[in-house]
Amino acid sequence: MAQVTKEQRTEVIKHFQYNGKLVDDRPYGSGHINDTFLLTFEIAEMGNIKVILQRMNKTVFAQPVKLMENIAGVTSHLRKKIVEHGGDPERETLNVIPTVDGKPYYLDSLGDYWRSYKFITDATSYDKVEKSEHFYQSAVAFGNFQRLLADYPAETLYETIKGFHDTKARFQVFKEAVEKDIAGRAAKVKDEIQFVLDREDTANYFADLLSRGEIPLRVTHNDTKLNNIMIDNKTGEGICVIDLDTVMPGLAVNDFGDSIRFGASTAAEDETDLSKVSCSMELFDLYAKGYIEGCGGKLTRKEIELMPMGAKVMTFECGMRFLTDYLQGDTYFKIHREHHNLDRARTQFKLVEDMERKWYTMEGIIEKYNKSLT
Ligand code: ADP
Ligand code: GN1
Ligand code: MG
């Protein structure tokens, strides 16, 4: 997608229900998909009010209007439950700011779709675990999210990305990308390609279990990385789950696994010094504890037992997706340097190897929690 220009934002901003005078407008956050801006408005006697403005990625999300219907449905469901439990719905769920004609999105003159959210104040989205307690709290919050949506009518949710975590199908897409090699990069990444090809069993694992009915489809978040949760600056609690673009029927083990992939890593997702990258067993343990607690007894024993596999499959899948994008010429994930997707793929594969080495430790941790269930 073309870069967002200042003129484009000026047009867009006029069409949302904002008050006050715009005093600041800047790119924001480190998401890989949408274009996010933080706007600050000055309102007489009230001070400054911040909002998030996002251009939705229409290459990734083919139907932005249906996607926003999902978000409206999910956030109003969450709002109702938060109010029932005496929580603060202004901070504990996303709040969509409508356009002047009352829609949850704006279609601009260039054909781009935009949406806006109230900014969640006094909270931080972390790219790396700074305090282990934050990671535990994020687990409780993602578990709660799963529990609160357990009674959401899954059939009303539009599938925003078909086969999003169908790792088996993604393996086939990867093989095609290697064969086509449109960016002419395959010869230079033979080892990484072989790493993926050697693990077809990992790619097929959950598809096979699902087809045998051994694990349930649930309404899941599907993108549970640590920077998709706001941690309260004062209490350290996971206050709000954000980035709801991929809320769809999925697997709880994948939600668990994606959090481990990102948050239990001892290094950033794009670290180039691979000696720094490993999967922390202390963080794995903390997250498992928090997530099982947050889900409030809703997970089956089988789902809990499969948590190490969830971590491995999601890390493997993500590495495979980064490498696929690298082979296809970097068209999906935003990159900020030439071999960014390759660097990201390498950290994921290093994590997969480390998880394979620590397999029995992970299983032991999970067994401890499975045993303690009544
Ligand atoms: P992407 O899909 O590109 O990851 P996100 O919706 O996750 O987009 O937004 C990118 C970043 O913007 C988040 O990681 C977070 O830091 C920030 N952000 C998004 N929504 C809010 C919000 N309502 N309040 C505060 N920060 C937000
Ligand atoms: C993307 O949108 P963001 O940056 O939170 C991606 C996830 C990947 C993640 C890797 C819709 O997440 O699936 O796991 O990057 N989201 C989409 O960091 O593809
Ligand atoms: Mg995000």
Side-chain angles (χ1 to χ4, degrees):
M1 286 177 79
Q3 290 278 332
V4 175
T5 62
K6 182 86 188 154
E7 296 71 57
Q8 195 179 1
R9 285 207 301 289
T10 307
E11 174 199 330
V12 170
I13 289 167
K14 277 194 253 162
H15 287 85
F16 280 93
Q17 290 187 24
Y18 297 142
N19 295 315
K21 178 175 163 239
L22 181 68
V23 289
D24 195 35
D25 164 10
R26 61 179 68 197
Y28 193 70
S30 45
H32 297 341
I33 303 296
N34 298 302
D35 292 289
T36 305
F37 299 89
L38 174 64
L39 310 182
T40 309
F41 291 90
E42 193 181 77
I43 305 181
E45 276 146 45
M46 275 180 74
N48 286 349
I49 298 280
K50 290 178 177 167
V51 304
I52 289 284
L53 176 66
Q54 276 182 331
R55 179 177 70 167
M56 289 182 255
N57 187 323
K58 64 178 181 192
T59 318
V60 169
F61 300 111
Q63 304 259 24
V65 176
K66 289 193 181 159
L67 184 154
M68 288 312 290
E69 280 169 16
N70 277 2
I71 291 189
V74 166
T75 52
S76 46
H77 183 90
L78 292 173
R79 170 173 273 270
K80 201 167 143 261
K81 299 218 163 172
I82 291 163
V83 171
E84 274 166 19
H85 292 104
D88 177 358
E90 295 294 295
R91 295 187 79 229
E92 295 173 29
T93 179
L94 282 175
N95 284 275
V96 175
I97 300 176
T99 59
V100 286
D101 48 9
K103 291 208 182 89
Y105 63 89
Y106 174 67
L107 172 60
D108 74 13
S109 55
L110 298 175
D112 283 337
Y113 288 84
W114 295 77
R115 64 169 168 222
S116 186
Y117 294 122
K118 288 186 186 167
F119 183 79
I120 298 155
T121 51
D122 304 313
T124 306
S125 125
Y126 290 94
D127 284 319
K128 207 179 159 311
V129 172
E130 287 178 13
K131 284 189 190 157
S132 48
E133 174 65 13
H134 288 163
F135 195 46
Y136 168 74
Q137 293 293 342
S138 78
V140 175
F142 275 125
N144 280 332
F145 181 84
Q146 158 68 63
R147 191 169 44 76
L148 294 178
L149 290 176
D151 59 346
Y152 193 82
E155 66 287 355
T156 63
L157 277 174
Y158 157 72
E159 200 178 350
T160 55
I161 300 177
K162 295 261 174 280
F164 188 52
H165 285 317
D166 185 345
T167 319
K168 186 175 183 170
R170 286 193 181 274
F171 188 84
Q172 298 308 324
V173 172
F174 171 77
K175 285 208 298 194
E176 277 163 36
V178 174
E179 273 155 34
K180 291 202 180 115
D181 191 23
I182 55 165
R185 286 169 159 176
K188 289 224 170 81
V189 292
K190 280 201 177 112
D191 290 352
E192 288 79 3
I193 291 173
Q194 198 53 48
F195 184 92
V196 175
L197 296 178
D198 287 344
R199 285 166 179 75
E200 188 164 4
D201 290 356
T202 304
N204 293 346
Y205 201 88
F206 287 138
D208 296 348
L209 283 185
L210 248 178
S211 67
R212 294 200 297 269
E214 290 185 34
I215 39 175
L217 265 184
R218 300 180 183 279
V219 174
T220 47
H221 182 280
N222 296 305
D223 189 3
T224 50
K225 58 185 187 180
L226 185 66
N227 67 18
N228 284 333
I229 201 152
M230 304 303 300
I231 306 281
D232 189 293
N233 291 343
K234 284 197 201 85
T235 64
E237 277 170 37
I239 189 98
C240 181
V241 172
I242 62 170
D243 203 346
L244 304 178
D245 295 333
T246 51
V247 175
M248 291 181 276
L251 301 180
V253 278
N254 283 344
D255 268 8
F256 171 81
D258 203 30
S259 298
I260 298 300
R261 171 192 84 71
F262 190 86
S265 172
T266 51
E269 193 184 56
D270 59 356
E271 175 61 59
T272 50
D273 178 356
L274 291 180
S275 70
K276 292 186 180 156
V277 181
S278 66
C279 182
S280 157
M281 289 299 101
E282 290 72 32
L283 292 176
F284 178 88
D285 191 331
L286 264 183
Y287 196 92
K289 181 174 188 289
Y291 190 68
I292 294 167
E293 280 171 13
C295 286
K298 288 277 191 324
L299 298 177
T300 65
R301 271 184 196 280
K302 182 79 181 171
E303 285 177 295
I304 296 177
E305 188 189 304
L306 286 167
M307 283 177 163
M309 191 50 98
K312 181 171 155 182
V313 169
M314 275 300 95
T315 312
F316 172 73
E317 182 194 276
C318 197
M320 180 168 71
R321 291 172 63 198
F322 287 142
L323 190 56
T324 304
D325 198 28
Y326 185 71
L327 292 169
Q328 292 177 336
D330 305 313
T331 56
Y332 187 93
F333 296 103
K334 278 182 199 299
I335 54 162
H336 306 291
R337 54 179 189 254
E338 203 192 345
H339 300 295
H340 211 162
N341 274 318
L342 177 59
D343 293 340
R344 290 168 176 156
R346 286 181 171 149
T347 61
Q348 304 308 293
F349 298 153
K350 177 78 197 292
L351 282 171
V352 170
E353 272 177 349
D354 196 43
M355 288 175 190
E356 287 171 350
R357 250 193 310 273
K358 294 172 177 168
W359 196 253
Y360 295 112
T361 311
M362 290 199 288
E363 283 194 336
I365 291 168
I366 293 305
E367 210 183 309
K368 174 178 77 182
Y369 292 118
N370 234 343
K371 268 197 192 137
S372 68
L373 293 178
T374 46

